[in-house]
Amino acid sequence: MEIVRSLRKSSAVVNDVVSDLPLYRTPPQLEVRLEDFELYAIDRLRVLKGISDGLSRGKKPDEMEKLVNDLWKAHMRHPQLSETINKDIISHFVLRLVYCRTEELRNWFLSMETTLFRYRFRLKNFESQRLVLAEFGLPYKAVSNAEFESVKEMLSQVARSMGQSLTAADTIFYKVPFEDVPELVGGRRVYIHKGHAYVAMHQVVSLVVTQFRSNLSKALVLTNRKWTSVISDQEKNRLTPIVEALSTSYVGPDFSEPKEFGEVSLKDLDRVANSSFPLCMRHLFEKLREDHHLKYGGRMQLGLFLKGVGLQLDDALAFWKSEFSKKVGPEKFDKEYAYSIRHSYGKEGKRVDYTPYSCQKVISCTPGVGDHHGCPYRHFSDENLRAALNKMGVSSRAMVDVMDKVKNRHYQLACTLTFEAVHGASCDSGINHPNQYFSDSQKIVQSKNIPAV
């Protein structure tokens, strides 16, 4: 896979793909524009993170199948149908570079890609599934008609035990060593005879997924060795910065401009803070009101959030000055703090219009002594977090679920469950940005305030 800066469209075609579900065995012989290198990876990352969220929320297999189908259609289609499979393959190999670099990254990528492959395989028709099975070159043969008839009654009993029946379509079975299908054996979903399991065609997903996971696991280790020894240094000025940033990339809107609810005035701040601020911003807001001061990390996190919800520059200056002046005095505020506020709004220095922090950036913060920024779900003690959630109105039953997600380090999902508990409404998309929390909250709050006709 060669990365080029050329803006001309690549005309290369993958010739060695048998089915439209690639096995990603070898990097494609394609010229890839630098822009596509990153954009394709981000689109696939949206799919994988959607899958991660679905799994964390305990979605059932049929729900996951629909989720994967919807995510793939939303993010992985290409305007030119012939380029769709190229996008699929390129994006996989780019993310393989991104996620090969540490054991934690490898484990996450391996799990998500395996889940993606499982449900994509399940969504394929019978002929496409057979093509994938043949492409793997697995040493399994379909049982003969005579052998099928000899075990048909036992196969029927297994089907009935799962609330199914053996239909005319279920006449193709593969005879495989039972240790090759541990999940089917563990779930008592196959007939075993003399050390072999009889796997129905609709169950071969278990076979191919096991093989896919094994192949990808080995490939990630090899990719890491090559990345560490060769690629990262050779591409340090071009690809390395992109690769290293992608694993922590936020893939949603940046909320640099309040699009739905317009401006938030000074007089509205306390009201909307109480109704619609996520816990990280409520904590900063309350500490500012209490101490009349925040360190730099807290000022940036809260200040950019307030900018994103619609607090205009003049109101922002008035807000921060009214609080800081109580501790440092108005003159010191004008001299030492006002500039950074104007700077964050793009009115000073290089005039960069800074964007509010995403959940990923908030979670990655490491607050020190006296700091109040960062993610409470990650940085608070259990006792302090329970107290804060109780103050927000989270019930004891919902608290158990939230704390369980915190224990398993699913901090964004913990925030999502908090949102649902506070608002009495579902948030299927999950919380990925503090300003998204605010926006979704305001939709619910305002809809409840609409008088009945």
Side-chain angles (χ1 to χ4, degrees):
M1 185 165 63
E2 183 182 357
I3 314 302
V4 296
R5 292 187 182 275
S6 170
L7 294 179
R8 65 181 176 82
K9 179 187 173 300
S10 170
S11 59
V13 178
V14 178
N15 296 316
D16 59 348
V17 175
V18 176
S19 72
D20 58 352
L21 181 55
L23 305 186
Y24 315 108
R25 284 174 163 167
T26 57
Q29 298 302 308
L30 294 170
E31 280 189 350
V32 183
R33 296 183 304 174
L34 198 60
E35 303 94 306
D36 290 342
F37 182 89
E38 184 171 13
L39 291 175
Y40 288 1
I42 288 174
D43 280 347
R44 193 181 194 92
L45 199 52
R46 290 189 172 103
V47 175
L48 299 185
K49 290 193 173 180
I51 290 172
S52 178
D53 185 66
L55 291 173
S56 298
R57 294 172 72 88
K59 287 187 178 291
K60 297 177 181 178
D62 57 335
E63 295 173 322
M64 284 300 301
E65 187 171 294
K66 182 180 184 304
L67 175 65
V68 168
N69 192 36
D70 291 344
L71 287 168
W72 193 263
K73 287 181 178 178
H75 302 298
M76 292 301 294
R77 295 294 176 88
H78 193 281
Q80 294 173 284
L81 190 60
S82 61
E83 289 295 312
T84 299
I85 195 167
N86 285 354
K87 180 177 180 179
D88 178 6
I89 296 172
I90 291 166
S91 63
H92 171 87
F93 277 95
V94 174
L95 289 187
R96 188 182 287 189
L97 280 178
V98 173
Y99 284 88
C100 76
R101 295 173 299 121
T102 69
E103 185 176 0
E104 183 179 4
L105 291 176
R106 286 195 295 273
N107 288 339
W108 184 86
F109 181 69
L110 180 62
S111 178
M112 295 309 109
E113 279 286 340
T114 300
T115 302
L116 173 61
F117 183 84
R118 174 188 296 277
Y119 288 104
R120 287 184 69 196
F121 182 86
R122 284 177 50 159
L123 287 163
K124 297 299 179 184
N125 59 34
F126 174 76
E127 188 56 36
S128 293
Q129 289 182 344
R130 291 196 67 174
L131 283 172
V132 172
L133 195 62
E135 194 176 351
F136 266 120
L138 298 175
Y140 310 129
K141 293 183 179 179
V143 301
S144 65
N145 289 336
E147 186 174 3
F148 171 76
E149 290 297 330
S150 70
V151 296
K152 184 176 180 180
E153 180 55 34
M154 298 305 298
L155 297 177
S156 296
Q157 287 184 30
V158 173
R160 285 195 296 272
S161 71
M162 295 186 292
Q164 303 170 356
S165 60
L166 202 63
T167 65
D170 295 322
T171 58
I172 298 178
F173 278 79
Y174 290 88
K175 188 176 177 181
V176 308
F178 77 92
E179 61 267 23
D180 288 1
V181 283
E183 62 179 39
L184 296 181
V185 174
R188 298 189 176 188
R189 290 180 283 149
V190 286
Y191 170 57
I192 300 175
H193 181 63
K194 293 183 178 180
H196 286 85
Y198 286 79
V199 180
M201 187 62 202
H202 70 270
Q203 294 176 313
V204 297
V205 63
S206 180
L207 285 171
V208 297
V209 164
T210 299
Q211 189 68 34
F212 177 84
R213 184 184 182 90
S214 175
N215 292 349
L216 181 55
S217 180
K218 294 172 185 175
L220 284 168
V221 173
L222 294 175
T223 304
N224 177 50
R225 291 175 186 169
K226 192 167 184 179
W227 171 262
T228 304
S229 62
V230 180
I231 303 175
S232 61
D233 186 58
Q234 287 183 347
E235 296 287 350
K236 61 184 177 182
N237 296 321
R238 196 169 57 138
L239 299 186
T240 299
I242 297 174
V243 167
E244 292 180 349
L246 274 170
S247 63
T248 56
S249 290
Y250 167 65
V251 293
D254 62 19
F255 295 97
S256 57
E257 295 290 338
K259 296 179 175 62
E260 295 185 70
F261 302 103
E263 296 181 12
V264 171
S265 65
L266 274 175
K267 64 181 178 63
D268 296 324
L269 272 184
D270 287 290
R271 175 178 56 81
V272 297
N274 186 59
S275 67
S276 298
F277 279 20
L279 180 55
C280 56
M281 301 305 171
R282 282 173 68 108
H283 177 63
L284 284 168
F285 189 80
E286 289 169 0
K287 280 297 178 183
L288 177 60
R289 291 292 202 202
E290 179 183 322
D291 299 338
H292 311 299
H293 189 271
L294 286 174
K295 290 187 175 182
Y296 177 77
R299 296 199 302 272
M300 288 298 292
Q301 184 173 311
L302 179 61
L304 291 175
F305 170 80
L306 293 175
K307 174 189 172 186
V309 304
L311 190 68
Q312 296 300 299
L313 175 58
D314 288 345
D315 278 350
L317 286 166
F319 166 69
W320 289 99
K321 187 171 185 176
S322 68
E323 292 299 329
F324 272 51
S325 293
K326 295 172 185 176
K327 190 157 190 173
V328 304
E331 291 184 4
K332 186 172 182 180
F333 174 84
D334 289 338
K335 184 178 180 180
E336 297 184 13
Y337 298 100
Y339 177 89
S340 66
I341 296 170
R342 291 195 299 271
H343 188 270
S344 67
Y345 275 76
K347 303 301 181 184
E348 298 284 358
K350 295 182 180 179
R351 302 187 182 275
V352 176
D353 193 14
Y354 291 92
T355 59
Y357 291 178
S358 68
C359 285
Q360 284 181 313
K361 186 162 186 176
V362 171
I363 291 169
S364 67
C365 290
T366 51
V369 177
D371 285 325
H372 300 290
H373 61 290
C375 175
Y377 298 98
R378 180 185 177 190
H379 299 120
F380 276 21
S381 67
D382 280 6
E383 183 181 355
N384 288 342
L385 182 56
R386 288 179 187 276
L389 293 172
N390 185 60
K391 188 176 179 181
M392 288 182 74
V394 177
S395 68
S396 56
R397 170 179 270 184
M399 186 98 64
V400 172
D401 292 334
V402 172
M403 297 306 293
D404 179 65
K405 298 306 178 187
V406 170
K407 181 180 178 182
N408 289 293
R409 299 191 295 179
H410 297 308
Y411 305 119
Q412 288 173 233
L413 188 51
C415 188
T416 302
L417 294 179
T418 300
F419 179 96
E420 294 178 339
V422 170
H423 295 86
S426 63
C427 181
D428 291 337
S429 62
I431 298 299
N432 297 294
H433 199 294
N435 290 80
Q436 175 213 342
Y437 185 110
F438 176 84
S439 178
D440 290 352
S441 171
Q442 281 291 289
K443 289 177 187 176
I444 295 171
V445 170
Q446 292 188 15
S447 69
K448 290 179 178 177
N449 291 335
I450 297 175
V453 178

